[in-house]
């Protein structure tokens, strides 16, 4: 098949950057990204590239090179399906908030809607690619829906999970560790479809980095990759608590164990807890799947990764309360960072949301500064928790655009996100303008704690005490 056009349903953190990179690397292919959200598509089409809906280093430049040449954004899902040879599904798969599997299973309603739309609007044979992270055996449901749709075309369903991490998405897409393609190698059309997708990636990815597997292995591998990564963070965070009571230092422990080539140095940074839209939801999904096959011990094993993460967020908040003489009522506490990690404006499941919520329960006055997150988003995150009214959230938490103003007259500052700019602040002048004793809680072990102590700060560093 000579590939002329592809489309992607879902213009989010995955669909937008992934399709931008495909467009950049495949100038001979037309790439269209479609979404039901008119507002999101308008942002992708905004003339001012600073208004793209996603902040991701390097993304703006790629969109500038490709947009309206071979990369297009629109809300016309039906036309894009009709015109495309390959359709990527990259819509949200959040944790289900109702019915069977509530709070655990992935909610597949958005994926199902996409499958029904493809069945409805296709006017030729199509390759349908699962780009969203999906429970193992979802391709079966998609196939059922497509086979039962009222048309005579054939559909090949492939699983091609995305492994990019936010903040490094462009680099991850340009130089992926591997591209995984799951398909049906028992049929000629299945093999042909896998090769069409493989050839697309070969425009910039080395042959030996493309891994072919059966669909179920591919679907499951994505959940397992995230579970393993999150497990490393929970493992090091568990040890961070042990370090704090034994005077071991988590940074030294991480370095020592990471030098073992069997363990490796990545994902060993202790933190206030992992966030992001996927780790928690994907592990919950893995637990749900394991339990639904009756594998209780397997489910319990992975559940513990979440339990530890919840504990880490809570204990950080309680540490602040206990150091501030067990009362934070009416005290100004500044949170530096709201994004779930640096170099992204994404706040989904960020530890900051939960730490702020715990402290607001104690009637602390929270001030937040984040270089990339808007006040609107911060309030939306808190309102979504539904702990208190919108009015109370706005009365207890203020968002400011200037970090120095954020820290002025604070009783305590907490580093929540590892933004590089925090390292270059004039900490002496920040200290001079704080209430004394001036407390600094470093939830990322980011700052040079000895020099902060030299200035006069009372410090607490995750994994060091
Ligand atoms: P997102 O919320 O940023 O984007 C999803 C988009 O899909 C939204 O813009 C929404 O409006 C759109 N959408 C939903 N239903 C639609 C429909 N029927 N038709 C058209 N558009 C529709 O989500 P995301 O972060 O891009 O994640 C998408 C998938 O990729 C999830 O399954 C996620 O687990 C997976 N994933 C995410 C990341 C990440 O870093 N965010 C990385 C790898 C995999
Ligand atoms: C993660 C995976 O790394 C991606 O491979 C995957 O594609 C993606 O989830 C997904 O499926 O959504 P992401 O969540 O964007 O990517 O970011 P990570 O770098 O994995 O960080 C996740 C969380 O763990 C962040 O809150 C981060 O601060 C935290 N973390 C990470 C630590 O606390 N310590 C570490 O050593 C590493």
């Amino acid at each position: 098949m000579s590939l002329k056009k592809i489309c992607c349903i879902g213009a989010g953190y995955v669909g937008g950057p992934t399709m931008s990179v495909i467009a950049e690397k495949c100038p001979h292919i037309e790439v269209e990204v479609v979404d039901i959200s008119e507002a999101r598509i308008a942002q992708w089409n905004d003339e001012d590239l600073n208004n793209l809906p996603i902040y991701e280093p390097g993304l703006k430049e790629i969109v500038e090179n490709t947009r309206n040449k071979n990369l297009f954004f629109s809300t016309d899902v039906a036309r894009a399906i009709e015109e495309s040879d390959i359709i990527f599904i990259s819509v949200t798969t959040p944790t289900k908030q109702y019915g069977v599997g509530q709070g655990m299973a992935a909610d597949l309603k958005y994926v199902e809607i996409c499958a029904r739309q493809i069945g409805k609007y296709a006017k030729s044979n199509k390759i349908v690619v699962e780009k969203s992270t999906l429970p193992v055996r979802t391709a079966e449901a998609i196939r059922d829906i497509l086979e039962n749709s009222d048309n005579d075309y054939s559909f090949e369903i492939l699983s091609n999970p995305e492994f990019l991490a936010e903040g490094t998405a462009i680099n991850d897409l340009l130089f992926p560790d591997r591209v995984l393609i799951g398909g049906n190698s028992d049929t000629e059309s299945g093999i042909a479809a896998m090769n069409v997708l493989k050839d697309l990636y070969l425009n910039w990815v080395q042959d030996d980095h493309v891994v072919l597997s059966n669909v179920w292995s591919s679907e499951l591998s994505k959940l397992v990759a995230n579970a393993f990564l999150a497990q490393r963070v929970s493992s090091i965070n568990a040890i961070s608590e042990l370090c704090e009571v034994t005077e071991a230092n988590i940074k030294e422990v991480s370095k020592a164990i990471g030098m073992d080539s069997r363990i490796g140095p990545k994902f060993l940074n202790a933190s206030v807890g992992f966030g992001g839209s996927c780790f928690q939801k994907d592990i919950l999904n893995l637990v749900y799947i394991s339990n639904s096959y009756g594998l209780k011990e397997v489910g319990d094993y992975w559940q513990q990764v979440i339990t530890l993460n919840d504990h880490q967020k809570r204990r950080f908040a309680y540490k602040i309360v206990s150091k501030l003489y067990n009362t934070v009522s009416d005290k100004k506490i500044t949170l530096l960072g709201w994004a779930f990690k640096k170099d992204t404006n994404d706040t989904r499941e960020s530890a900051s949301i939960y730490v702020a919520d715990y402290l607001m329960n104690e009637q602390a006055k929270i001030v937040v500064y984040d270089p990339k997150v808007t006040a609107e988003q911060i309030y939306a995150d808190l309102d979504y928790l539904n702990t208190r009214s919108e009015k109370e959230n706005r009365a207890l938490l203020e968002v400011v655009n200037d970090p120095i103003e954020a820290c002025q007259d604070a009783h305590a500052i907490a580093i929540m996100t590892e933004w590089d700019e925090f390292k270059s602040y004039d900490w002496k002048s920040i200290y001079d303008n704080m209430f004394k004793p001036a407390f600094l809680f470093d939830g990322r072990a980011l700052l040079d704690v000895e020099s902060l102590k030299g200035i006069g700060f009372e410090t607490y560093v995750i994994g060091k005490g």
Side-chain angles (χ1 to χ4, degrees):
M1 175 199 271
S2 102
L3 200 56
K4 291 196 189 64
K5 175 161 181 171
I6 65 174
C7 78
C8 175
I9 310 179
Y13 281 87
V14 169
T18 308
M19 293 301 127
S20 302
V21 166
I22 292 181
E24 167 99 346
K25 292 294 174 185
C26 310
H28 54 291
I29 295 173
E30 186 181 328
V31 180
E32 183 162 6
V33 192
V34 290
D35 202 291
I36 34 168
S37 164
E38 288 188 7
R40 205 162 225 195
I41 291 299
Q43 283 177 296
W44 281 110
N45 281 325
D46 199 305
E47 281 200 7
D48 182 351
L49 288 158
N50 293 315
N51 294 336
L52 293 183
I54 289 166
Y55 171 69
E56 204 45 77
L59 174 65
K60 202 164 83 169
E61 291 75 11
I62 291 189
V63 173
E64 187 172 26
N65 282 345
T66 51
R67 196 175 59 183
N68 297 330
K69 291 180 191 141
N70 68 326
L71 175 67
F72 301 90
F73 296 92
S74 99
T75 51
D76 196 345
V77 179
R79 184 188 41 73
I81 290 172
E82 189 184 327
E83 291 174 358
S84 299
D85 309 304
I86 302 186
I87 299 150
F88 289 83
I89 300 178
S90 187
V91 297
T92 347
T93 49
T95 304
K96 210 174 160 205
Q97 298 301 338
Y98 52 87
V100 176
Q102 179 177 11
M104 300 291 290
D107 190 342
L108 297 179
K109 75 176 169 206
Y110 306 100
V111 174
E112 178 169 341
I113 291 170
C114 292
R116 290 190 188 283
Q117 285 177 312
I118 295 168
K120 184 168 170 193
Y121 297 118
K123 298 218 168 74
S124 57
N125 299 343
K126 305 286 180 196
I127 297 173
V128 177
V129 182
E130 298 176 342
K131 190 48 117 175
S132 294
T133 302
L134 297 168
V136 55
R137 299 203 75 86
T138 303
E140 206 165 30
I142 296 180
R143 175 168 299 122
D144 258 11
I145 291 168
L146 290 172
E147 281 176 0
N148 286 298
S149 58
D150 194 16
N151 71 46
D152 297 328
Y153 306 112
S154 73
F155 300 92
E156 276 303 326
I157 296 134
L158 302 178
S159 161
N160 173 223
E162 186 47 63
F163 295 101
L164 67 80
E166 290 178 26
T168 53
I170 299 302
N171 198 58
D172 296 342
L173 288 162
L174 289 172
F175 308 102
D177 285 348
R178 78 311 207 176
V179 167
L180 179 57
I181 300 175
N184 182 0
S185 55
D186 293 337
T187 62
E188 261 180 42
S189 58
I191 295 168
M194 284 162 94
N195 283 329
V196 171
L197 188 56
K198 181 175 174 178
D199 285 345
L200 176 70
Y201 282 106
L202 289 183
N203 281 292
W204 77 97
V205 178
Q206 275 174 277
D207 200 341
D208 59 359
H209 281 47
V210 181
V211 179
L212 304 182
S213 75
N214 81 31
V215 190
W216 322 125
S217 307
S218 175
E219 289 176 334
L220 186 58
S221 298
K222 173 61 198 178
L223 293 182
V224 173
N226 273 358
F228 268 60
L229 290 169
Q231 180 201 42
R232 274 176 80 98
V233 179
S234 275
S235 297
I236 205 70
N237 282 345
I239 301 304
S240 75
E241 190 169 13
L242 193 55
C243 283
E244 289 170 27
V245 291
T246 56
E247 292 184 37
N249 178 337
I250 196 65
K251 283 206 156 176
E252 292 175 356
V253 174
S254 294
K255 185 174 176 193
I257 64 167
M259 287 174 78
D260 184 325
S261 60
R262 295 167 302 173
I263 296 174
K266 294 182 181 167
F267 267 71
L268 289 180
N269 290 324
S271 69
V272 55
F274 61 74
S277 62
C278 295
F279 277 1
Q280 175 162 304
K281 101 172 151 60
D282 291 348
I283 294 177
L284 288 172
N285 191 6
L286 191 62
V287 172
Y288 181 74
I289 293 168
S290 306
N291 288 342
S292 39
Y293 282 104
L295 309 177
K296 185 180 173 306
E297 288 76 7
V298 179
D300 288 353
Y301 176 79
W302 288 107
Q303 180 65 46
Q304 192 58 29
V305 174
I306 306 276
T307 304
L308 197 286
N309 197 48
D310 290 340
H311 169 69
Q312 187 79 347
K313 292 182 272 191
R314 240 186 345 260
R315 86 177 180 88
F316 186 75
Y318 292 164
K319 180 66 80 178
I320 295 177
V321 177
S322 81
K323 289 263 182 187
L324 268 68
Y325 316 109
N326 284 316
T327 172
V328 291
S329 171
D330 283 330
K331 289 181 181 165
K332 173 172 169 177
I333 300 177
T334 303
L335 302 187
L336 292 181
W338 191 265
F340 79 97
K341 62 185 281 197
K342 73 171 180 178
D343 292 337
T344 177
N345 61 345
D346 196 348
T347 64
R348 290 177 286 184
E349 289 300 327
S350 178
S352 299
I353 304 170
Y354 298 95
V355 170
D357 187 54
Y358 294 134
L359 295 173
M360 288 160 80
N361 281 343
E362 297 293 328
Q363 298 290 312
K365 289 191 166 157
I366 305 295
V367 175
V368 181
Y369 165 76
D370 186 290
K372 289 288 173 199
V373 180
T374 62
E376 201 185 2
Q377 183 60 52
I378 291 171
Y379 289 126
D381 291 336
L382 284 169
D383 295 342
Y384 184 75
L385 281 189
N386 219 2
T387 312
R388 58 190 78 72
S389 71
E390 293 185 10
K391 197 172 159 206
E392 284 170 307
N393 282 336
R394 280 144 192 82
L396 284 171
L397 183 142
E398 188 192 351
V399 182
V400 297
N401 293 324
D402 173 25
I404 306 306
E405 183 196 337
C407 298
Q408 174 95 30
D409 297 327
H411 288 260
I413 297 171
I415 305 288
M416 303 301 297
T417 312
E418 72 281 25
W419 286 105
D420 287 331
E421 66 170 59
F422 299 161
K423 289 189 268 189
S424 59
Y425 286 176
D426 178 354
W427 284 101
K428 170 79 175 80
S429 78
I430 289 175
Y431 172 82
D432 288 342
N433 290 312
M434 284 177 69
F435 261 94
K436 306 296 177 311
F439 290 92
L440 198 139
F441 298 87
D442 188 347
R444 293 284 180 168
L446 180 76
L447 303 176
D448 175 0
V449 67
E450 293 312 320
S451 77
L452 290 169
K453 276 187 184 159
I455 290 170
F457 279 104
E458 295 277 336
T459 61
Y460 161 81
V461 182
I462 202 99
K464 193 164 188 286

